[in-house]
Amino acid sequence: MSVMSNELKALIFDVDGTLADNERDGHRVAFNLAFRDAGLGWEWDPATYDELLKVFGGKERIRHFIEHQQPDFDWPKDLDAFIRDLHRQKTQRYVELLRSGAIPLRPGVERLLREARSAGLRLAIASTTTFENVTTLLTVTLGDESIAWFDVIACGDVVARKKPAPDIYEYALEQLGLAARECLAIEDTQSGLAAASAAGLVTVVTANGATRNQDFSGAAIAVDQLGEPGQGFEVLAGDAGNARWVDVDFLRRLFRS
Ligand code: XBP
């Protein structure tokens, strides 16, 4: 191999929708519980929530909802503090849901993480959600030791602009001490793909039920799941060749092409 060629050194994973199918049955439920506890009378049904998912970040999503869909809402004096408190309650509810075991990892996630580690690839997270949410999901599904599998867990408010801005990916790269040309991102949405691409990353999309009809042009490949031996993926965009599930060899091939 030439010294100049780019070798794949790290995988950077998005979390929500990518590691787990946790938006509709996880985050949405937690938002509604927090709204109910606060006596607000708001209820986000799945269709409303799918639309609100265009706004990244829970606090940003609540603000957008108040500003665009609650014209009669009696605004508190300090709206920022109100949203912060409400979101804190939502995080608590979400973590409780995770701890109850209600949210499993998606097919192929655990396998790929383990294979990547065995192959000497470094792992990182670049997510909009909070650090507590990410670490709880990892420990509940993969055990306490899994936190140490990730060299970087970049989350939430450590950057000013959330996805689709590239900031969280740029931050993760900086923390890894690697260039974008040495890493590959795994995302589940068009906005996540935009964020990773804008940071210069080759990106694989593993879409889910809520995102599979989005435009994934620009992705190295878009599939409906990482898949497993015996549970192959469906290709949504791009050319998978002979691959039937996402493994390290397939990622290396995509990375080089
Ligand atoms: C997904 C999001 C998050 C979650 C809610 O982010 O947009 O906002 O829906 O999480 P990603 P918080 O795909 O980057 O993981 O309420 O903790 O913000």
Side-chain angles (χ1 to χ4, degrees), residues 13-18 22-23 27-28 31 49 52-53 55-62 87 90-91 94 126-131 133-134 156-157 162-163 168-169 187-189 192:
F13 286 84
D14 168 53
V15 174
D16 296 318
T18 298
N22 57 353
E23 287 291 4
H27 286 293
R28 183 185 69 89
F31 279 113
Y49 191 70
L52 285 166
L53 278 175
V55 182
F56 270 64
K59 293 192 283 295
E60 292 79 358
R61 196 168 298 145
I62 294 170
H87 187 256
K90 176 260 165 179
T91 298
Y94 177 71
S127 171
T128 301
T129 198
T130 58
F131 184 77
N133 289 353
V134 174
D157 297 330
K162 294 198 167 152
K163 298 173 187 176
I168 197 73
Y169 278 104
E187 272 285 354
D188 70 310
T189 63

Side-chain angles (χ1 to χ4, degrees), residues 1-22:
M1 189 196 303
S2 117
V3 198
M4 294 303 289
S5 71
N6 292 328
E7 186 198 335
L8 179 60
K9 294 192 177 147
L11 303 181
I12 310 180
F13 286 84
D14 168 53
V15 174
D16 296 318
T18 298
L19 297 188
D21 222 338
N22 57 353

Side-chain angles (χ1 to χ4, degrees), residues 11 15 17 24 38 58 60 70 75 82-83 88 109 141 232 237-238 240:
L11 303 181
V15 174
R24 275 191 188 184
E60 292 79 358
Q70 290 298 307
W75 283 36
F82 170 82
I83 292 173
R88 203 172 295 129
V109 169
T141 55

Side-chain angles (χ1 to χ4, degrees), residues 211-248:
T211 68
R212 58 174 290 138
N213 294 321
Q214 295 180 354
D215 178 4
F216 296 126
S217 40
I221 190 98
V223 290
D224 70 334
Q225 57 176 303
L226 296 175
E228 296 278 22
Q231 185 184 332
F233 53 52
E234 179 191 342
V235 177
L236 303 175
D239 181 1
N242 294 329
R244 294 291 171 265
W245 59 88
V246 176
D247 60 12
V248 171

